[in-house]
Amino acid sequence: MNAQHLFDEGYNDEDVLILNQYPPTPSKPSSLDLLSGFGSVQECEELAYQILASLPRARLATIQRRLAPLLQFDVVGSLPAEVSLQIFSYLPFPALLTSALVCRRWHVLSNDQSLWKDLCDVRGWSWRQPSYKFPPAFTHSGLGASQDAWNNSDDEGMGDSDEEAEEEEVADTLMMSELDAAKAELTIMHAELDSGFASMSFAGVSQLIASSSSNIPPRASVYPSGNNSNSSSTKRVNNARPRAGTRHSAPSLLGSLGSLSSSPKPNYKLLHQTRIKLQKRILTSSYRLSALQTRGAPTNSHTNTIYCLQLYTYPSSGVQVLFTGSRDKTVREWNLSTGLVERVISGIHLSSVLSICVHNGVLASAGSDRKIVVWDLEKNKVVKVISDHEDSVLCVRFDNKRLVSCSKDRTVRTYLFPDLAPQFVLGAHRAAVNAVSISDTLIVSGSGDRSIRLWDANTGNLLRTFENHHSRGIASIDFKPPYVLSGSSDKHLRLFDIATLHGWSTSPEFDNISGLVGQGHDLGSSQLGHLSSSFVPDFQSQPMPNAGNNELLTTGFNIAPTFAFGLEGQAVLCQACGNSGLVALGGGVSGRQGTNNVHKNVLHRDLVRTVAFGDEFVLSGSYDLSIKVWDRRTGALVADLSGGHTGRIFCIGFDGTKVVSCGEDQRICIWDFADGIDTSFIEL
């Protein structure tokens, strides 16, 4: 080889020889290249099927697992958000909670506040921006000293029945030691895993954190000192014994209130879950029992039997307080956050305060001195004193339009705001009118003559009379249109719809009775057109032919409450409404026939003195020292609250989070179902 041909070209012949010996291997064809020779999708599908059919079954299972993710497609999540939310709006709340676990997209959709707001609106649950202001604290005394003529007068808030005398006073009850306060720090709901807790007795309530009371902001006076127009003095309550307060369903984390810069945004999912949690606690009887007052404590508490009470939330501040009326002739306002008396109204009544009603900054009290006193809470002065009744005023109720009172003189009287001018005197009852309740256009009254009467509030006309509603006198009434709830000295409750007469009773005696008579004017569309309720029991009634133009005969109460039957003492599922935690009555019997064998322990054993409506439940308090919670729709017993009182129970209050009761033993008991739960955002 010539030298001129020996030049370097970057490789040598040996390299070329090696490359020629190992030619490059062709690249693996893709799946698209393999299918490019087929003309249609059907041919590809047929090829794939033939290939799969040739494989063993074990390999097919492996391929199936690999293909499963390719077959999944989120149809709902791929839709526009508005359409997806519309689909989710048809789901009940348990399905929404489950849907949030499917994927991230569904989690976002399921937690959308608009869905939970709609669920809350259906139940009437409103969000309240937490407020930590406190109403002013005052005590009032004036209008003269008590007269000797009233010193020994006491009606206990209920008149005699037409066929029986009033029961004798029970023996003096044993004094109990005052309860130590419960916890002050409540935990945020979404930070806890709540599964219910055992009901607490007085001896088992934990001690309050020592420093909690110092974190509560003081309530400053906005009123000048000195005498008012009624020559009565007002001053700050400063003689109360310092005491660590019990928190009863109040805003949590008081120690950090000063650092709050803005109100939280409404969280309707939290609101709904909190409400459901409270219902669960009621169904499982999970509560903390405490005493706001015991005999002689605190130092400025009531000094005699407490006849009436009402929970009230100030509209301006959102702070909830408790008003109580007593045989000691005073009305007292309690701060539920501190457990102390904030205001004492005295020197107005000359005898026992038997009934109170608080609404929109106005308090009305009625007593055995035949007086009704209307009090402006903001101005802290008497608005008017009414003395029209001829005997003890047993009950007073009012709304924005009118004030209604009933008396031992067998009359019901109405007065119109703003000047409280007399309107009607309704005098059809044959015995003392023990209770009255009102709505916008209707008045319901219950009497010792065993009748309940329905009145037109605008005209004063008697619309209907429910005779033989109970076997003995009516002692208590609550009215939430279109339903009336009544308690009687026959030891039973009855709930019924005034339009259809459907309802339930705890008395098997009235199971098949046809003696319920509705007299008076028939209820037309003008009176009942405004009535509505989401609680319509699916009961059967058999109306009978009309006996006349103004008389309607109906079986009305030919139904009995839907009790849950099973092994006695065990919680069972109600087939009618799906509620769990109902008390099994024993007997293993289902249907109407079992109601004749209802276990006596589920019924009251004495006069039912007080009743109250809730959204899902109704409550009753009795002279048998117990408070019972009933399913509003079915009449099944949900909870039996006992052990708080040692004397007869005269009045109860319920706001969905707690039950407050008072009685002959001078105790104010609080059965708190919201212990440990932040309820500051719940509209009470």
Side-chain angles (χ1 to χ4, degrees), residues 434-453:
N434 292 320
V436 67
S437 190
I438 63 175
S439 68
D440 289 339
T441 59
L442 297 173
I443 300 173
V444 178
S445 58
S447 169
D449 62 10
R450 295 181 289 180
S451 73
I452 290 180
R453 299 180 189 266

mmCIF file with all atom_site columns, all heavy atoms in Angstrom, residues 434-453:
data_model
loop_
_atom_site.group_PDB
_atom_site.id
_atom_site.type_symbol
_atom_site.label_atom_id
_atom_site.label_alt_id
_atom_site.label_comp_id
_atom_site.label_asym_id
_atom_site.label_entity_id
_atom_site.label_seq_id
_atom_site.pdbx_PDB_ins_code
_atom_site.Cartn_x
_atom_site.Cartn_y
_atom_site.Cartn_z
_atom_site.occupancy
_atom_site.B_iso_or_equiv
_atom_site.pdbx_formal_charge
_atom_site.auth_seq_id
_atom_site.auth_comp_id
_atom_site.auth_asym_id
_atom_site.auth_atom_id
_atom_site.pdbx_PDB_model_num
ATOM 1   N N   . ASN A 1 434 ? -104.816 26.520 82.978 1.00 0.00 ? 434 ASN A N   1
ATOM 2   C CA  . ASN A 1 434 ? -103.471 26.307 83.519 1.00 0.00 ? 434 ASN A CA  1
ATOM 3   C C   . ASN A 1 434 ? -102.352 26.692 82.569 1.00 0.00 ? 434 ASN A C   1
ATOM 4   O O   . ASN A 1 434 ? -101.245 27.001 83.012 1.00 0.00 ? 434 ASN A O   1
ATOM 5   C CB  . ASN A 1 434 ? -103.296 24.838 83.914 1.00 0.00 ? 434 ASN A CB  1
ATOM 6   C CG  . ASN A 1 434 ? -104.162 24.456 85.094 1.00 0.00 ? 434 ASN A CG  1
ATOM 7   O OD1 . ASN A 1 434 ? -104.321 25.220 86.036 1.00 0.00 ? 434 ASN A OD1 1
ATOM 8   N ND2 . ASN A 1 434 ? -104.750 23.265 85.036 1.00 0.00 ? 434 ASN A ND2 1
ATOM 9   N N   . ALA A 1 435 ? -102.602 26.648 81.260 1.00 0.00 ? 435 ALA A N   1
ATOM 10  C CA  . ALA A 1 435 ? -101.524 26.885 80.304 1.00 0.00 ? 435 ALA A CA  1
ATOM 11  C C   . ALA A 1 435 ? -102.085 27.487 79.036 1.00 0.00 ? 435 ALA A C   1
ATOM 12  O O   . ALA A 1 435 ? -103.226 27.224 78.646 1.00 0.00 ? 435 ALA A O   1
ATOM 13  C CB  . ALA A 1 435 ? -100.780 25.582 79.990 1.00 0.00 ? 435 ALA A CB  1
ATOM 14  N N   . VAL A 1 436 ? -101.263 28.294 78.375 1.00 0.00 ? 436 VAL A N   1
ATOM 15  C CA  . VAL A 1 436 ? -101.631 28.911 77.114 1.00 0.00 ? 436 VAL A CA  1
ATOM 16  C C   . VAL A 1 436 ? -100.389 28.982 76.237 1.00 0.00 ? 436 VAL A C   1
ATOM 17  O O   . VAL A 1 436 ? -99.256  29.092 76.734 1.00 0.00 ? 436 VAL A O   1
ATOM 18  C CB  . VAL A 1 436 ? -102.228 30.324 77.348 1.00 0.00 ? 436 VAL A CB  1
ATOM 19  C CG1 . VAL A 1 436 ? -101.159 31.275 77.877 1.00 0.00 ? 436 VAL A CG1 1
ATOM 20  C CG2 . VAL A 1 436 ? -102.858 30.875 76.083 1.00 0.00 ? 436 VAL A CG2 1
ATOM 21  N N   . SER A 1 437 ? -100.597 28.873 74.925 1.00 0.00 ? 437 SER A N   1
ATOM 22  C CA  . SER A 1 437 ? -99.506  28.987 73.964 1.00 0.00 ? 437 SER A CA  1
ATOM 23  C C   . SER A 1 437 ? -100.042 29.662 72.716 1.00 0.00 ? 437 SER A C   1
ATOM 24  O O   . SER A 1 437 ? -101.242 29.568 72.412 1.00 0.00 ? 437 SER A O   1
ATOM 25  C CB  . SER A 1 437 ? -98.920  27.611 73.629 1.00 0.00 ? 437 SER A CB  1
ATOM 26  O OG  . SER A 1 437 ? -97.734  27.736 72.881 1.00 0.00 ? 437 SER A OG  1
ATOM 27  N N   . ILE A 1 438 ? -99.174  30.346 71.965 1.00 0.00 ? 438 ILE A N   1
ATOM 28  C CA  . ILE A 1 438 ? -99.654  31.179 70.866 1.00 0.00 ? 438 ILE A CA  1
ATOM 29  C C   . ILE A 1 438 ? -98.798  30.990 69.621 1.00 0.00 ? 438 ILE A C   1
ATOM 30  O O   . ILE A 1 438 ? -97.655  30.529 69.675 1.00 0.00 ? 438 ILE A O   1
ATOM 31  C CB  . ILE A 1 438 ? -99.649  32.667 71.262 1.00 0.00 ? 438 ILE A CB  1
ATOM 32  C CG1 . ILE A 1 438 ? -98.231  33.150 71.567 1.00 0.00 ? 438 ILE A CG1 1
ATOM 33  C CG2 . ILE A 1 438 ? -100.558 32.917 72.447 1.00 0.00 ? 438 ILE A CG2 1
ATOM 34  C CD1 . ILE A 1 438 ? -98.134  34.639 71.849 1.00 0.00 ? 438 ILE A CD1 1
ATOM 35  N N   . SER A 1 439 ? -99.397  31.358 68.473 1.00 0.00 ? 439 SER A N   1
ATOM 36  C CA  . SER A 1 439 ? -98.695  31.521 67.208 1.00 0.00 ? 439 SER A CA  1
ATOM 37  C C   . SER A 1 439 ? -99.147  32.856 66.623 1.00 0.00 ? 439 SER A C   1
ATOM 38  O O   . SER A 1 439 ? -99.788  33.657 67.307 1.00 0.00 ? 439 SER A O   1
ATOM 39  C CB  . SER A 1 439 ? -98.996  30.365 66.259 1.00 0.00 ? 439 SER A CB  1
ATOM 40  O OG  . SER A 1 439 ? -100.352 30.399 65.830 1.00 0.00 ? 439 SER A OG  1
ATOM 41  N N   . ASP A 1 440 ? -98.848  33.104 65.366 1.00 0.00 ? 440 ASP A N   1
ATOM 42  C CA  . ASP A 1 440 ? -99.198  34.395 64.772 1.00 0.00 ? 440 ASP A CA  1
ATOM 43  C C   . ASP A 1 440 ? -100.696 34.664 64.808 1.00 0.00 ? 440 ASP A C   1
ATOM 44  O O   . ASP A 1 440 ? -101.126 35.778 65.092 1.00 0.00 ? 440 ASP A O   1
ATOM 45  C CB  . ASP A 1 440 ? -98.695  34.458 63.326 1.00 0.00 ? 440 ASP A CB  1
ATOM 46  C CG  . ASP A 1 440 ? -97.182  34.565 63.257 1.00 0.00 ? 440 ASP A CG  1
ATOM 47  O OD1 . ASP A 1 440 ? -96.584  34.980 64.268 1.00 0.00 ? 440 ASP A OD1 1
ATOM 48  O OD2 . ASP A 1 440 ? -96.613  34.238 62.208 1.00 0.00 ? 440 ASP A OD2 1
ATOM 49  N N   . THR A 1 441 ? -101.504 33.654 64.518 1.00 0.00 ? 441 THR A N   1
ATOM 50  C CA  . THR A 1 441 ? -102.945 33.873 64.398 1.00 0.00 ? 441 THR A CA  1
ATOM 51  C C   . THR A 1 441 ? -103.782 32.954 65.269 1.00 0.00 ? 441 THR A C   1
ATOM 52  O O   . THR A 1 441 ? -105.004 33.022 65.214 1.00 0.00 ? 441 THR A O   1
ATOM 53  C CB  . THR A 1 441 ? -103.387 33.683 62.932 1.00 0.00 ? 441 THR A CB  1
ATOM 54  O OG1 . THR A 1 441 ? -103.057 32.347 62.517 1.00 0.00 ? 441 THR A OG1 1
ATOM 55  C CG2 . THR A 1 441 ? -102.692 34.679 62.025 1.00 0.00 ? 441 THR A CG2 1
ATOM 56  N N   . LEU A 1 442 ? -103.146 32.096 66.051 1.00 0.00 ? 442 LEU A N   1
ATOM 57  C CA  . LEU A 1 442 ? -103.887 31.120 66.845 1.00 0.00 ? 442 LEU A CA  1
ATOM 58  C C   . LEU A 1 442 ? -103.451 31.165 68.305 1.00 0.00 ? 442 LEU A C   1
ATOM 59  O O   . LEU A 1 442 ? -102.301 31.480 68.619 1.00 0.00 ? 442 LEU A O   1
ATOM 60  C CB  . LEU A 1 442 ? -103.689 29.707 66.294 1.00 0.00 ? 442 LEU A CB  1
ATOM 61  C CG  . LEU A 1 442 ? -104.203 29.443 64.873 1.00 0.00 ? 442 LEU A CG  1
ATOM 62  C CD1 . LEU A 1 442 ? -103.781 28.061 64.400 1.00 0.00 ? 442 LEU A CD1 1
ATOM 63  C CD2 . LEU A 1 442 ? -105.712 29.589 64.806 1.00 0.00 ? 442 LEU A CD2 1
ATOM 64  N N   . ILE A 1 443 ? -104.388 30.825 69.188 1.00 0.00 ? 443 ILE A N   1
ATOM 65  C CA  . ILE A 1 443 ? -104.135 30.694 70.615 1.00 0.00 ? 443 ILE A CA  1
ATOM 66  C C   . ILE A 1 443 ? -104.644 29.330 71.058 1.00 0.00 ? 443 ILE A C   1
ATOM 67  O O   . ILE A 1 443 ? -105.755 28.930 70.694 1.00 0.00 ? 443 ILE A O   1
ATOM 68  C CB  . ILE A 1 443 ? -104.846 31.798 71.424 1.00 0.00 ? 443 ILE A CB  1
ATOM 69  C CG1 . ILE A 1 443 ? -104.359 33.188 70.988 1.00 0.00 ? 443 ILE A CG1 1
ATOM 70  C CG2 . ILE A 1 443 ? -104.622 31.607 72.920 1.00 0.00 ? 443 ILE A CG2 1
ATOM 71  C CD1 . ILE A 1 443 ? -105.144 34.323 71.614 1.00 0.00 ? 443 ILE A CD1 1
ATOM 72  N N   . VAL A 1 444 ? -103.849 28.622 71.839 1.00 0.00 ? 444 VAL A N   1
ATOM 73  C CA  . VAL A 1 444 ? -104.241 27.328 72.375 1.00 0.00 ? 444 VAL A CA  1
ATOM 74  C C   . VAL A 1 444 ? -104.221 27.421 73.891 1.00 0.00 ? 444 VAL A C   1
ATOM 75  O O   . VAL A 1 444 ? -103.244 27.893 74.477 1.00 0.00 ? 444 VAL A O   1
ATOM 76  C CB  . VAL A 1 444 ? -103.306 26.204 71.887 1.00 0.00 ? 444 VAL A CB  1
ATOM 77  C CG1 . VAL A 1 444 ? -103.718 24.869 72.494 1.00 0.00 ? 444 VAL A CG1 1
ATOM 78  C CG2 . VAL A 1 444 ? -103.319 26.112 70.373 1.00 0.00 ? 444 VAL A CG2 1
ATOM 79  N N   . SER A 1 445 ? -105.289 26.975 74.529 1.00 0.00 ? 445 SER A N   1
ATOM 80  C CA  . SER A 1 445 ? -105.377 27.017 75.982 1.00 0.00 ? 445 SER A CA  1
ATOM 81  C C   . SER A 1 445 ? -105.761 25.646 76.519 1.00 0.00 ? 445 SER A C   1
ATOM 82  O O   . SER A 1 445 ? -106.529 24.909 75.898 1.00 0.00 ? 445 SER A O   1
ATOM 83  C CB  . SER A 1 445 ? -106.404 28.064 76.434 1.00 0.00 ? 445 SER A CB  1
ATOM 84  O OG  . SER A 1 445 ? -107.685 27.789 75.892 1.00 0.00 ? 445 SER A OG  1
ATOM 85  N N   . GLY A 1 446 ? -105.216 25.305 77.681 1.00 0.00 ? 446 GLY A N   1
ATOM 86  C CA  . GLY A 1 446 ? -105.511 24.040 78.344 1.00 0.00 ? 446 GLY A CA  1
ATOM 87  C C   . GLY A 1 446 ? -105.992 24.290 79.751 1.00 0.00 ? 446 GLY A C   1
ATOM 88  O O   . GLY A 1 446 ? -105.466 25.157 80.455 1.00 0.00 ? 446 GLY A O   1
ATOM 89  N N   . SER A 1 447 ? -106.986 23.522 80.180 1.00 0.00 ? 447 SER A N   1
ATOM 90  C CA  . SER A 1 447 ? -107.662 23.807 81.435 1.00 0.00 ? 447 SER A CA  1
ATOM 91  C C   . SER A 1 447 ? -107.814 22.558 82.286 1.00 0.00 ? 447 SER A C   1
ATOM 92  O O   . SER A 1 447 ? -107.701 21.421 81.806 1.00 0.00 ? 447 SER A O   1
ATOM 93  C CB  . SER A 1 447 ? -109.043 24.412 81.149 1.00 0.00 ? 447 SER A CB  1
ATOM 94  O OG  . SER A 1 447 ? -109.838 24.485 82.310 1.00 0.00 ? 447 SER A OG  1
ATOM 95  N N   . GLY A 1 448 ? -108.112 22.809 83.551 1.00 0.00 ? 448 GLY A N   1
ATOM 96  C CA  . GLY A 1 448 ? -108.435 21.717 84.452 1.00 0.00 ? 448 GLY A CA  1
ATOM 97  C C   . GLY A 1 448 ? -109.741 21.040 84.133 1.00 0.00 ? 448 GLY A C   1
ATOM 98  O O   . GLY A 1 448 ? -110.059 20.001 84.724 1.00 0.00 ? 448 GLY A O   1
ATOM 99  N N   . ASP A 1 449 ? -110.529 21.608 83.199 1.00 0.00 ? 449 ASP A N   1
ATOM 100 C CA  . ASP A 1 449 ? -111.780 20.962 82.792 1.00 0.00 ? 449 ASP A CA  1
ATOM 101 C C   . ASP A 1 449 ? -111.558 19.860 81.762 1.00 0.00 ? 449 ASP A C   1
ATOM 102 O O   . ASP A 1 449 ? -112.502 19.376 81.150 1.00 0.00 ? 449 ASP A O   1
ATOM 103 C CB  . ASP A 1 449 ? -112.769 21.991 82.248 1.00 0.00 ? 449 ASP A CB  1
ATOM 104 C CG  . ASP A 1 449 ? -112.258 22.715 81.004 1.00 0.00 ? 449 ASP A CG  1
ATOM 105 O OD1 . ASP A 1 449 ? -111.221 22.296 80.454 1.00 0.00 ? 449 ASP A OD1 1
ATOM 106 O OD2 . ASP A 1 449 ? -112.889 23.701 80.592 1.00 0.00 ? 449 ASP A OD2 1
ATOM 107 N N   . ARG A 1 450 ? -110.275 19.488 81.540 1.00 0.00 ? 450 ARG A N   1
ATOM 108 C CA  . ARG A 1 450 ? -109.873 18.399 80.644 1.00 0.00 ? 450 ARG A CA  1
ATOM 109 C C   . ARG A 1 450 ? -110.014 18.751 79.168 1.00 0.00 ? 450 ARG A C   1
ATOM 110 O O   . ARG A 1 450 ? -109.998 17.861 78.319 1.00 0.00 ? 450 ARG A O   1
ATOM 111 C CB  . ARG A 1 450 ? -110.653 17.113 80.939 1.00 0.00 ? 450 ARG A CB  1
ATOM 112 C CG  . ARG A 1 450 ? -110.371 16.524 82.304 1.00 0.00 ? 450 ARG A CG  1
ATOM 113 C CD  . ARG A 1 450 ? -111.143 15.249 82.544 1.00 0.00 ? 450 ARG A CD  1
ATOM 114 N NE  . ARG A 1 450 ? -112.569 15.495 82.717 1.00 0.00 ? 450 ARG A NE  1
ATOM 115 C CZ  . ARG A 1 450 ? -113.469 14.557 82.938 1.00 0.00 ? 450 ARG A CZ  1
ATOM 116 N NH1 . ARG A 1 450 ? -113.093 13.292 82.992 1.00 0.00 ? 450 ARG A NH1 1
ATOM 117 N NH2 . ARG A 1 450 ? -114.735 14.859 83.100 1.00 0.00 ? 450 ARG A NH2 1
ATOM 118 N N   . SER A 1 451 ? -110.169 19.996 78.837 1.00 0.00 ? 451 SER A N   1
ATOM 119 C CA  . SER A 1 451 ? -110.327 20.394 77.446 1.00 0.00 ? 451 SER A CA  1
ATOM 120 C C   . SER A 1 451 ? -109.171 21.266 76.988 1.00 0.00 ? 451 SER A C   1
ATOM 121 O O   . SER A 1 451 ? -108.529 21.955 77.788 1.00 0.00 ? 451 SER A O   1
ATOM 122 C CB  . SER A 1 451 ? -111.643 21.150 77.245 1.00 0.00 ? 451 SER A CB  1
ATOM 123 O OG  . SER A 1 451 ? -111.560 22.454 77.799 1.00 0.00 ? 451 SER A OG  1
ATOM 124 N N   . ILE A 1 452 ? -108.915 21.214 75.679 1.00 0.00 ? 452 ILE A N   1
ATOM 125 C CA  . ILE A 1 452 ? -107.989 22.126 75.011 1.00 0.00 ? 452 ILE A CA  1
ATOM 126 C C   . ILE A 1 452 ? -108.807 22.900 73.990 1.00 0.00 ? 452 ILE A C   1
ATOM 127 O O   . ILE A 1 452 ? -109.563 22.314 73.207 1.00 0.00 ? 452 ILE A O   1
ATOM 128 C CB  . ILE A 1 452 ? -106.842 21.367 74.325 1.00 0.00 ? 452 ILE A CB  1
ATOM 129 C CG1 . ILE A 1 452 ? -105.914 20.777 75.376 1.00 0.00 ? 452 ILE A CG1 1
ATOM 130 C CG2 . ILE A 1 452 ? -106.072 22.265 73.385 1.00 0.00 ? 452 ILE A CG2 1
ATOM 131 C CD1 . ILE A 1 452 ? -104.751 20.012 74.798 1.00 0.00 ? 452 ILE A CD1 1
ATOM 132 N N   . ARG A 1 453 ? -108.652 24.224 73.994 1.00 0.00 ? 453 ARG A N   1
ATOM 133 C CA  . ARG A 1 453 ? -109.448 25.062 73.103 1.00 0.00 ? 453 ARG A CA  1
ATOM 134 C C   . ARG A 1 453 ? -108.534 25.846 72.167 1.00 0.00 ? 453 ARG A C   1
ATOM 135 O O   . ARG A 1 453 ? -107.486 26.342 72.584 1.00 0.00 ? 453 ARG A O   1
ATOM 136 C CB  . ARG A 1 453 ? -110.357 26.001 73.905 1.00 0.00 ? 453 ARG A CB  1
ATOM 137 C CG  . ARG A 1 453 ? -111.349 25.240 74.785 1.00 0.00 ? 453 ARG A CG  1
ATOM 138 C CD  . ARG A 1 453 ? -112.248 26.173 75.589 1.00 0.00 ? 453 ARG A CD  1
ATOM 139 N NE  . ARG A 1 453 ? -113.031 25.407 76.559 1.00 0.00 ? 453 ARG A NE  1
ATOM 140 C CZ  . ARG A 1 453 ? -114.265 24.949 76.349 1.00 0.00 ? 453 ARG A CZ  1
ATOM 141 N NH1 . ARG A 1 453 ? -114.859 25.182 75.180 1.00 0.00 ? 453 ARG A NH1 1
ATOM 142 N NH2 . ARG A 1 453 ? -114.904 24.260 77.284 1.00 0.00 ? 453 ARG A NH2 1
#
